[in-house]
Amino acid sequence: MATSLITKTLNSIKNPKLLRPLTRQFTSIATVQSENPSSSFTFADPDSNSSSSCNDSNIYMRKGPPNCNVKGEKDSSSVTMPMSSMTGSIVGKRFYKQVTTREADDGNGWNVMLDYRTLKTPSKRPLKLPTLALAKAIAAEWDYQQTDGIRPFTMPLMKLACTALDRVPLTRPKIIEHLMKKFSQDLVFCRAPEDNVLTSGVYERQVEKFDPLIDWIKSEFGFKPVVHSCLFGGKQEEGLVKAIENLLKQTDDCQLAVIDAIASAAHSLIIAVGIVKGKLDIEEAIELIRLEEDFQVDTWGLVEGGHDIDIADLRVQISSAAVFLGLSRK
C-alpha cells in the first residue's frame, strides 16, 4: 500500500532529476491528541509532574464519557504532532487503521486523515499541504507504520512539512540570518592546500568538481565567489551576499525549509541553492558534499559502522528534502 502510494506521487514530480530513491531520515516524534473529549491519544506520560515523564515513549489513551457520541463529532477529532520532534525511538503502537487524504475545508490545500482524525502540526493547526502529491506521500509514510510501533524517523516528509508550516513562518528572518552568517564558510568556497602532499589530491578534485558550480554561480548571480583555504572562511563580494540573501527572502515556506535542511546537512548554502534551482540533482549534490571524505576513503579504506552509516544518513537528508521540494510545487 505505502509503496504503491509513494511511487504514484513521485511520478507526479515534473523535474526528473528529483526522482531518486527516498530513504529514511532521523526525525520527528509524535504526540497524538484529539480535540474530541470522547477520545484522545498522547505519547507523553499523563502524570506531567513525574520526573520520568520526559523519557516515556508509551501511548496513553484517555477515554471520555461513555455516553459521548463519537460518530457525531468525527469532524472535530484530530491527531497532533508534538513540539519535541527529534528522536529515533519507537513511540507507541499504531492506533489507526486507514490513512487517507482529503481536500482542505477552504479548498486551498490537502489534509492527511488517520481514520477520521485530521493530522495536525505541533502548533495544533491542520497539516494543510500545498499539493495532493505531497499529501499522499506523507499519507504513505503514516500508512507504512507497523502495528507494533510508530517510527517517526521513517517520516522525513512529515518533519519537513511541520517545519514549513510551523517554524518557517514564525522564524523566517532568523533562518535567513543564520544561513547568511555561515555563507562565507561555505563548503564550495573552501580549498585544500595545493602544495601539501597529503592534500594535493583533494585540491585537484575540488578544482574539478567545485569550479563548474562556481562558474554557474557567476553566470546566475553576476558575481564570482572568492575561494580560500582558511577554515574560518573568506569574505565574499557584497553583491553576491546580497543576491543570495534576496533569493532566500523570495522563497516560499516550503522552499526555505528545504534550503535550511540541505544547507545544514551539506554545510553549504550554495549546494542547497543549486538543488532548488535545478542545477544539481541528488547524486551530484551528495558527490560534492562527500568529496573530501570520499578521497580519504579511497586512500585509507572505508570504516564499517562509520563511513557507511554517514553515507546512508546523508542520502536520507538530501533525498528527502529534494523529493519534498518536488512534491510541494504546484
Side-chain angles (χ1 to χ4, degrees):
M1 175 68 176
T3 303
S4 61
L5 266 176
I6 199 70
T7 301
K8 289 179 181 178
T9 55
L10 289 179
N11 287 336
S12 69
I13 301 179
K14 295 180 180 179
N15 185 356
K17 283 190 173 186
L18 296 177
L19 291 175
R20 299 298 177 94
L22 175 62
T23 53
R24 298 181 178 179
Q25 185 181 21
F26 307 96
T27 55
S28 196
I29 188 174
T31 291
V32 188
Q33 184 177 12
S34 172
E35 292 178 350
N36 188 338
S38 64
S39 64
S40 66
F41 302 84
T42 177
F43 294 144
D45 193 324
D47 181 8
S48 59
N49 296 324
S50 172
S51 61
S52 63
S53 62
C54 61
N55 297 322
D56 190 85
S57 61
N58 296 320
I59 296 179
Y60 292 87
M61 182 174 69
R62 184 174 67 253
K63 295 183 178 180
N67 60 347
C68 182
N69 185 355
V70 177
K71 184 176 181 180
E73 299 182 3
K74 283 185 178 181
D75 292 340
S76 66
S77 297
S78 65
V79 178
T80 304
M81 297 298 290
M83 296 303 292
S84 54
S85 60
M86 297 302 294
T87 182
S89 304
I90 298 176
V91 295
K93 291 184 178 181
R94 174 170 172 162
F95 57 90
Y96 53 91
K97 294 181 179 180
Q98 188 177 17
V99 185
T100 58
T101 58
R102 74 172 185 184
E103 192 172 9
D105 293 337
D106 61 2
N108 184 25
W110 298 85
N111 296 136
V112 176
M113 308 293 295
L114 304 184
D115 294 332
Y116 58 82
R117 304 172 183 87
T118 302
L119 194 57
K120 290 192 173 185
T121 68
S123 64
K124 298 183 180 180
R125 68 179 66 179
L127 187 77
K128 189 163 66 173
L129 303 160
T131 66
L132 177 59
L134 181 57
K136 286 190 173 182
I138 291 177
E141 288 184 331
W142 282 91
D143 196 45
Y144 169 82
Q145 303 306 308
Q146 305 300 303
T147 56
D148 66 326
I150 295 175
R151 295 164 171 81
F153 52 87
T154 64
M155 296 189 280
L157 300 181
M158 180 66 190
K159 182 205 175 183
L160 285 166
C162 289
T163 300
L165 292 171
D166 279 356
R167 177 172 170 249
V168 174
L170 296 177
T171 61
R172 170 177 282 268
K174 290 185 178 181
I175 293 173
I176 294 175
E177 180 184 358
H178 176 75
L179 289 170
M180 295 309 302
K181 188 176 181 180
K182 300 287 186 180
F183 183 59
S184 63
Q185 299 172 302
D186 197 285
L187 174 70
V188 176
F189 304 155
C190 185
R191 291 289 184 275
E194 181 182 7
D195 55 354
N196 189 307
V197 66
L198 296 176
T199 60
S200 59
V202 177
Y203 175 83
E204 292 171 1
R205 286 197 186 184
Q206 288 173 331
V207 170
E208 177 187 357
K209 298 296 183 180
F210 286 164
D211 280 8
L213 187 57
I214 286 179
D215 292 338
W216 172 78
I217 295 169
K218 181 181 179 181
S219 64
E220 188 75 16
F221 299 103
F223 301 91
K224 187 172 182 178
V226 177
V227 298
H228 53 81
S229 58
C230 176
L231 292 176
F232 298 102
K235 187 175 181 180
Q236 297 296 325
E237 287 191 51
E238 190 65 24
L240 178 60
V241 174
K242 288 292 184 183
I244 296 295
E245 187 174 5
N246 289 335
L247 172 68
L248 297 179
K249 291 179 179 179
Q250 294 169 8
T251 57
D252 60 36
D253 291 341
C254 288
Q255 289 173 334
L256 188 56
V258 165
I259 290 174
D260 187 39
I262 295 176
S264 176
H267 304 290
S268 171
L269 178 56
I270 291 299
I271 290 176
V273 170
I275 291 178
V276 170
K277 295 187 73 67
K279 170 62 178 177
L280 300 172
D281 63 22
I282 295 172
E283 294 300 327
E284 290 170 341
I286 291 174
E287 182 183 11
L288 293 179
I289 297 166
R290 289 195 48 80
L291 187 147
E292 184 174 352
E293 190 166 350
D294 283 344
F295 177 83
Q296 300 298 335
V297 170
D298 292 343
T299 304
W300 307 105
L302 182 142
V303 177
E304 294 185 4
H307 291 130
D308 50 351
I309 293 177
D310 290 343
I311 293 170
D313 182 42
L314 180 64
R315 285 185 176 277
V316 167
Q317 296 184 61
I318 302 302
S319 61
S320 60
V323 169
F324 180 87
L325 176 68
L327 293 176
S328 66
R329 287 173 170 165
K330 297 181 180 179

